[in-house]
Amino acid sequence: MSLLDVRDLRVTYPGGAAAVRGVDLSLDAGEKLGIAGESGCGKSTLALALLRLLPAGARVDGQVLLDGEDVLAMKWGRVRAVRWAGASIVFQGAMHSLNAVHRVGDQIAEPILLHRKATPAGARRKAGELLEQVGLPAARASAYPHELSGGQRQRVMIAMALACDPRLIVADEPTTALDVMIQAQILRLIEELVSEQDVGLMMISHDLAVLADTCDRLAVMYAGRVVEQGPARQVYEDARHPYGRALSGAFPRIGDPASRFAPRGLPGDPPDPAAVPSGCAFHPRCPVALEVCGTEDQVLREAGPGRRAACVHVGAEGATGTGTAGANASTTSAGADGSAAGSDDASATAGSDDASSPTGANDASSGTAASPDEEVRSSTT
C-alpha cells in the first residue's frame, strides 16, 4: 500500500474556477515525487487540498488516502491530529509563513507541545536539535524571522515540518527566491532527510531541472491536470507531451549550443480555470495540435515503461520512438520568443500563489526530431 494515494482529486473554487481536475498520484515512503508546471496550473491548490487547508467555499471531491485513511473523510479532530504528525507542509515564502513577532524556536516548539505532549523545556530542547539537524546553530532558536537570511528561514521551515516526525512532507516551492548556492544546499538537505528518515516527499516547483535532479518521479501539471508522469530524469530529458518538452526547453543547458543560439519560448499563458478550453486544454498553445485536439479530451496513456502522457501523438506510429518526435524547433513553428507565464494560480483565493516562471516550447517537425546541433546548423544556413 502506498503512503499517499490521490484518486480523482478535484478542487473547484467559488465562481466555478476548476483549479484541480481529476488528479491521480501515488507516493511511497522514502520516495520523492516532483510536481512541475507554470503558475496557474494548480500545483499549490493540490498541495493545500492534501491537508484540507483550502479556504471555506472550495469544493473538494475525490480521495486523498494517507496510509489508507481518507483525509477528505476525516472528522476535524482527526485532521488536526494528522497535520504535522502524519503529514506536514513546507509553505512557499518562508518570510510570509513564519510569525514575525515570535521567535523561531517557539514556532518550531509549538507543534511539539500540541502533538507530542512534551514539556516546555523538552520542546525547546527538541527545537534546538531540529535546528542543528538542518544546519543551523541551536542558539538561533532565539532569533526572530527578520533576523535570519532567506536560506536560514527556509531551513527553519524544514525544521518545523520535521518537528513531529511526519510520514509525508509536502514542499511547495522550497527554494523560491534563494540564490543558487543556498538552493543547492537546501535541496541536498531535503534529499538527506528523506533518505535518513524514510519519509515520502512531494516537492512542487516550476523548475523542471531542479525536480529532475532531486526527485525520483515527476508529474507535469497543466490546467489542473497531470499531463505527463514518469521517472524524473526521463521526463526532463525526453518528455513525451509537448508541454513537458516546452518546460524542459525553457531552461538553458550548459554546453548546449542550441539553447544558447536558439532560445525556445511558449507563447501565451495557462487558461483561466473558470474557462478551460474544450478538448485538450493545451491545444491553443500546442505547436503540434491536430484538429481532434480541440474537440476530444486526451487522457493519460502508456508512453513507455513506467511513463504516461495525455497526448494524441503518444502511441501513434513513430511518436514515442524518441521523446522529441513531432515537436522540436520551436523558434520557427511556435514563432514566439520566450514569454514569462505570470498567471496566478487559482489558489490565490487561498492566499497562496505559485511562483511564475518562463517556459519554453519546441517546434513541430513532421518527421524524426533533429538533434540540437542539427537545429543550430540549419538555423545558421
Side-chain angles (χ1 to χ4, degrees):
M1 182 176 63
S2 298
L3 170 63
L4 175 69
D5 195 1
V6 179
R7 301 178 182 176
D8 195 27
L9 182 64
R10 300 172 184 271
V11 178
T12 305
Y13 287 107
V20 177
R21 304 182 302 130
V23 168
D24 294 283
L25 294 170
S26 64
L27 178 66
D28 294 327
E31 185 181 26
K32 302 180 291 291
L33 171 66
I35 308 292
E38 297 169 277
S39 297
C41 290
K43 306 185 302 297
S44 288
T45 294
L46 170 64
L48 296 172
L50 296 180
L51 291 176
R52 292 172 64 176
L53 294 170
L54 293 166
R59 188 176 76 247
V60 184
D61 301 303
Q63 290 182 305
V64 178
L65 302 179
L66 182 62
D67 278 330
E69 190 175 4
D70 190 359
V71 176
L72 302 183
M74 293 177 181
K75 295 183 178 180
W76 277 111
R78 178 58 181 156
V79 172
R80 287 192 291 269
V82 165
R83 291 174 181 169
W84 295 110
S88 61
I89 184 167
V90 179
F91 295 99
Q92 60 173 305
M95 188 63 191
H96 302 99
S97 301
L98 293 169
N99 192 319
V101 298
H102 288 279
R103 301 180 190 275
V104 296
D106 294 335
Q107 297 183 60
I108 297 172
E110 183 178 6
I112 301 172
L113 289 168
L114 292 174
H115 291 276
R116 293 290 181 253
K117 306 302 181 183
T119 63
R124 286 194 297 271
R125 183 171 57 254
K126 177 66 173 178
E129 293 172 356
L130 288 166
L131 287 175
E132 291 180 341
Q133 188 176 355
V134 298
L136 290 176
R140 300 303 283 166
S142 61
Y144 289 96
H146 70 272
E147 297 176 318
L148 303 176
S149 68
Q152 289 174 330
R153 286 194 293 267
Q154 200 63 58
R155 290 171 187 266
V156 170
M157 292 297 298
I158 295 172
M160 290 179 66
L162 296 170
C164 296
D165 302 314
R167 298 285 315 284
L168 170 69
I169 296 177
V170 180
D172 188 5
E173 301 279 6
T175 58
T176 296
L178 300 180
D179 63 68
V180 291
M181 294 299 293
I182 300 300
Q183 182 183 89
Q185 293 173 15
I186 295 297
L187 293 176
R188 296 292 83 77
L189 171 64
I190 291 174
E191 285 185 310
E192 291 172 5
L193 293 173
V194 170
S195 176
E196 293 172 0
Q197 302 189 19
D198 198 37
V199 302
L201 172 70
M202 178 182 287
M203 183 171 170
I204 297 172
S205 178
H206 61 273
D207 193 330
L208 206 65
V210 166
L211 294 177
D213 187 52
T214 306
C215 299
D216 304 311
R217 291 191 299 117
L218 185 58
V220 179
M221 286 188 69
Y222 186 80
R225 282 188 176 176
V226 173
V227 297
E228 182 168 1
Q229 57 180 297
R233 181 55 60 178
Q234 291 183 30
V235 173
Y236 176 60
E237 296 179 348
D238 185 23
R240 302 297 170 86
H241 193 281
Y243 182 61
R245 289 194 291 269
L247 286 181
S248 178
F251 299 94
R253 291 171 171 80
I254 297 175
D256 180 8
S259 64
R260 184 171 67 171
F261 295 112
R264 300 168 181 174
L266 180 63
D269 296 320
D272 182 348
V276 178
S278 61
C280 173
F282 185 61
H283 85 267
R285 306 172 70 191
C286 182
V288 293
L290 304 178
E291 184 177 351
V292 69
C293 299
T295 57
E296 295 184 11
D297 199 0
Q298 301 300 318
V299 298
L300 287 168
R301 60 195 75 180
E302 294 299 321
R307 303 186 61 179
R308 295 195 298 166
C311 180
V312 68
H313 295 286
V314 172
E317 184 177 357
T320 59
T322 62
T324 52
N328 228 354
S330 75
T331 51
T332 54
S333 176
D337 293 334
S339 61
S343 165
D344 285 341
D345 192 331
S347 68
T349 311
S352 175
D353 294 337
D354 276 346
S356 65
S357 67
T359 59
N362 299 332
D363 263 15
S365 65
S366 57
T368 304
S371 68
D373 289 343
E374 289 171 340
E375 291 180 23
V376 173
R377 287 195 294 271
S378 63
S379 66
T380 56
T381 56

